[in-house]
Amino acid sequence: MRIFGKSVVTFGAVVAMVGCGPVDEAEQAAGVEAQVVDARECGAEQIDAEQQARIEAEFEVLNAKRAMGGVVNAQAVSIPVYFHVIRSSSGAGGVTTTQINNQISILNNAFSAAGFSFYLAATDYTNNDSYYTCSGGTCETNMKNALRRGTATALNFYTNNMGGGLLGWATFPWSYSSTNKMDGVVVLQGSLPGGSTTNYNQGDTGTHEVGHWMGLYHTFQGGCTSPGDSVSDTPYEGSSASGCPTGRDTCTSLSGLDPITNFMDYTYDSCMNTFSAGQNSRMNSMWTSYRAGK
């Protein structure tokens, strides 16, 4: 998940607030954006070490079974995107067709090296005040049960004007089998390319959330402690980064500077531009294990 100033923890499709400083509601009501405090989404997909160990153990078993069965990772996958544009009950808000098309292009550029491409399968528009300001909970369940389309291989992409200073959140692929209706990503409408969210309006909230949807943790998962984000070629990172702090090194006893240009950190859109080879490989394996054919 991404945010302006608050952290959210998600395991599967469950979202719970933690950490991160509060958003000034008066400023928010006046249209003043809250300051980002070490967070893009605010932690929606941060999970603890015990959960991570369980997830990774299951993933290893699935990979071993695939190898024994001679199943190889998918090499070229075209993903249909169902775009759900949420507006207020009066029809205010939403995003433009140009923004949607540009967001698809941003995803294609970011994920092409992993063998994934995206195409717009359909767009729908819903006027609903509850959905429009939804930041998780019952309103999310209602929204997704009403609108979600496709199978495990379809990306459902929701845009709204979520509250709490959030930028977006996502579900992980391993949660699909138990909570398939909740599967997808939700992002702040102002974060799409050309949107109004300063420093976060080039479409990389979408990239970041789809990275989670593909099975990636934050680069700062686990801090400086093994296994980190479970990807061998992303340097350990002690905490999330904000802005674009070139040369930052929060794990000084370990090799490598913080991966501030990685899409799975919390830096500005203008700073992030990279998935590592290991992340690309993990996304490919995750797809084959949890989404392909389901």
Side-chain angles (χ1 to χ4, degrees):
M1 193 183 226
R2 254 185 141 190
I3 198 175
F4 297 135
K6 183 178 305 188
S7 232
V8 176
V9 173
T10 293
F11 178 55
V14 179
V15 179
M17 291 303 215
V18 300
C20 279
V23 175
D24 186 306
E25 293 184 359
E27 286 191 345
Q28 188 176 29
V32 179
E33 292 174 352
Q35 294 299 307
V36 176
V37 181
D38 253 6
R40 276 207 142 237
E41 2 151 79
C42 223
E45 296 75 14
Q46 296 175 24
I47 63 173
D48 64 33
E50 181 179 350
Q51 292 170 333
Q52 183 179 2
R54 184 170 68 250
I55 291 162
E56 296 307 308
E58 176 191 70
F59 184 41
E60 287 182 13
V61 169
L62 290 175
N63 277 333
K65 287 182 178 178
R66 289 193 298 105
M68 290 178 63
V71 179
V72 297
N73 289 342
Q75 296 301 307
V77 176
S78 183
I79 300 173
V81 182
Y82 292 96
F83 231 98
H84 308 290
V85 180
I86 311 300
R87 301 179 294 200
S88 73
S89 293
S90 65
V95 296
T96 68
T97 299
T98 297
Q99 286 181 296
I100 293 171
N101 291 334
N102 287 343
Q103 181 67 71
I104 297 291
S105 295
I106 292 293
L107 296 180
N108 280 324
N109 290 337
F111 291 92
S112 61
F116 297 102
S117 61
F118 300 82
Y119 67 93
L120 186 61
T123 304
D124 55 63
Y125 300 85
T126 301
N127 296 352
N128 183 301
D129 282 339
S130 175
Y131 299 173
Y132 186 56
T133 57
C134 182
S135 57
T138 300
C139 58
E140 179 189 7
T141 301
N142 293 340
M143 177 179 71
K144 289 182 173 180
N145 273 280
L147 299 177
R148 193 188 185 283
R149 299 174 65 178
T151 66
T153 61
L155 171 62
N156 280 256
F157 198 110
Y158 303 80
T159 64
N160 74 354
N161 196 33
M162 61 189 67
L166 290 168
L167 287 166
W169 70 88
T171 58
F172 284 113
W174 51 79
S175 70
Y176 181 83
S177 61
S178 60
T179 56
N180 61 312
K181 277 290 189 179
M182 299 300 290
D183 185 67
V185 306
V186 188
V187 305
L188 180 68
Q189 59 188 22
S191 74
L192 266 67
S196 61
T197 311
T198 304
N199 296 319
Y200 301 93
N201 58 357
Q202 296 179 25
D204 284 327
T205 290
T207 304
H208 180 104
E209 300 308 340
V210 174
H212 286 309
W213 186 79
M214 290 285 196
L216 298 182
Y217 301 118
H218 293 126
T219 51
F220 47 89
Q221 172 72 25
C224 302
T225 304
S226 180
D229 65 351
S230 297
V231 177
S232 61
D233 65 351
T234 55
Y236 287 94
E237 186 175 21
S239 61
S240 59
S242 60
C244 193
T246 304
R248 185 175 189 258
D249 188 2
T250 54
C251 297
T252 55
S253 63
L254 301 170
S255 62
L257 297 175
D258 290 0
I260 64 165
T261 62
N262 196 281
F263 288 118
M264 301 314 294
D265 205 342
Y266 276 178
T267 48
Y268 290 166
D269 281 15
S270 58
C271 191
M272 52 174 54
N273 55 30
T274 304
F275 284 124
S276 72
Q279 286 174 314
N280 288 340
S281 178
R282 179 180 173 86
M283 287 189 284
N284 208 281
S285 296
M286 280 277 172
W287 183 270
T288 307
S289 295
Y290 293 107
R291 294 198 180 279
K294 297 182 176 62

